[in-house]
Amino acid sequence: MSQQDAIEHLETFGYCLIENAIPTAQADAMAEKYFQLHQDPANRQTFQEPDAELYQTLFGVVNLDEMCWKCIAHPQVLDVVRYFLGDSARLGEACTKWVKPGAPQGGIHSDSTHDLPARLPETPWMINSIWMITDFTVENGATLVVPFSHRARRRPSEQDIAESYPVPVCGRRGSVLLWHGGTWHGQGANTTDDQHRMALNIAYYPAWWNLMREGGHQPVFPETFARMPADLQGLTRHKVAKQRADIYEF
């Protein structure tokens, strides 16, 4: 998908899929690393839910794995992000998501809207993305999206969810799904006995967004920032600190 096609698809449907954005060999290496990170007890403290088992989110991956840096600063992704959020768009968080066999479907929701007005802004406040580090299939929990739902400009109600028809976005590992923060979406159920779905979730926000309201997001450690290439430093210089409380809490 060309840059313009991706932009038009996201603008119209609320999401777009860029296939084969990184080589499968790179995705395989990342998958091996991420399964190890999730199984390391030392990383439990930065799980979104420390006791989670079937569906796990690990924050702060930017400090744990340099392979994700190329995904964060991927030129084609950033072209789409900056079209919607402006040239000063910045990284919110990079986290990994492991959907294990037997994991139930997640709730359909819109992103970062819990304390926004009922009528959501027309201006995009977020472009989210999920990299398919393993193949995404209907059976192993591919992300579900509700096309056109970002145009409703509201959080989905129970009735909205009951009446909507979310579609799974499937793809080969190395592909990346991007969506408007207002697009209704959720994690699909993993109905398999032995297929593990791993993903890298990277969220981008405009410069005016208050990142303190995003629970669980981790800082970029100073020693990590010092090793980063200039383009990635430009996306992360706002969140350099040794601990979360230094930048996310008063």
Side-chain angles (χ1 to χ4, degrees), residues 1-12 15-16 18 76 79-80 83-84:
M1 180 177 287
S2 70
Q3 173 193 344
Q4 189 58 38
D5 287 342
I7 289 170
E8 291 179 1
H9 200 280
L10 196 154
E11 201 158 33
T12 302
Y15 71 97
C16 67
I18 301 174
Q76 191 173 3
D79 283 344
V80 176
Y83 174 84
F84 290 99

Side-chain angles (χ1 to χ4, degrees), residues 90-94 205 209-220 236 238-241 243-250:
R90 55 189 182 167
L91 175 71
E93 179 61 296
Y205 296 91
W209 187 259
N210 180 8
L211 290 169
M212 287 181 61
R213 61 195 295 285
E214 303 293 354
H217 289 189
Q218 297 297 306
V220 174
T236 61
H238 61 285
K239 55 181 293 175
V240 178
Q243 55 188 359
R244 177 179 161 80
D246 292 338
I247 52 173
Y248 289 116
E249 299 174 5
F250 288 117

Side-chain angles (χ1 to χ4, degrees), residues 99-103 138-141 188-195:
V99 180
K100 297 184 180 182
V138 172
E139 294 78 17
N140 73 8
N190 188 333
T191 60
T192 73
D193 295 326
D194 57 0
Q195 296 178 29

Side-chain angles (χ1 to χ4, degrees), residues 168-247:
V169 182
C170 301
R172 185 166 173 76
R173 59 194 184 280
S175 301
V176 57
L177 166 67
L178 291 86
W179 67 92
H180 185 296
T183 299
W184 305 345
H185 66 284
Q187 154 246 326
N190 188 333
T191 60
T192 73
D193 295 326
D194 57 0
Q195 296 178 29
H196 293 257
R197 196 214 79 177
M198 180 60 73
L200 172 65
N201 180 200
I202 302 172
Y204 303 89
Y205 296 91
W208 48 264
W209 187 259
N210 180 8
L211 290 169
M212 287 181 61
R213 61 195 295 285
E214 303 293 354
H217 289 189
Q218 297 297 306
V220 174
F221 297 156
E223 60 270 27
T224 301
F225 183 80
R227 297 196 310 271
M228 288 178 169
D231 56 349
L232 188 55
Q233 287 183 335
L235 291 166
T236 61
R237 64 178 68 256
H238 61 285
K239 55 181 293 175
V240 178
K242 195 60 184 174
Q243 55 188 359
R244 177 179 161 80
D246 292 338
I247 52 173

Side-chain angles (χ1 to χ4, degrees), residues 21-66:
I22 58 173
T24 56
Q26 181 180 343
D28 290 342
M30 294 169 74
E32 181 179 2
K33 175 73 171 182
Y34 296 161
F35 286 127
Q36 292 173 356
L37 291 177
H38 277 255
Q39 294 175 81
D40 185 344
N43 293 327
R44 279 273 175 177
Q45 61 185 344
T46 49
F47 272 26
Q48 187 173 35
E49 298 178 17
D51 296 327
E53 286 302 331
L54 294 179
Y55 178 67
Q56 299 177 349
T57 297
L58 172 62
F59 290 120
V61 177
V62 68
N63 297 307
L64 302 172
D65 170 51
E66 293 188 11

Side-chain angles (χ1 to χ4, degrees), residues 137-155:
T137 68
V138 172
E139 294 78 17
N140 73 8
T143 302
L144 305 170
V145 299
V146 180
F148 308 107
S149 54
H150 63 304
R151 297 189 173 191
R153 291 181 57 193
R154 66 174 184 271
R155 293 179 287 275

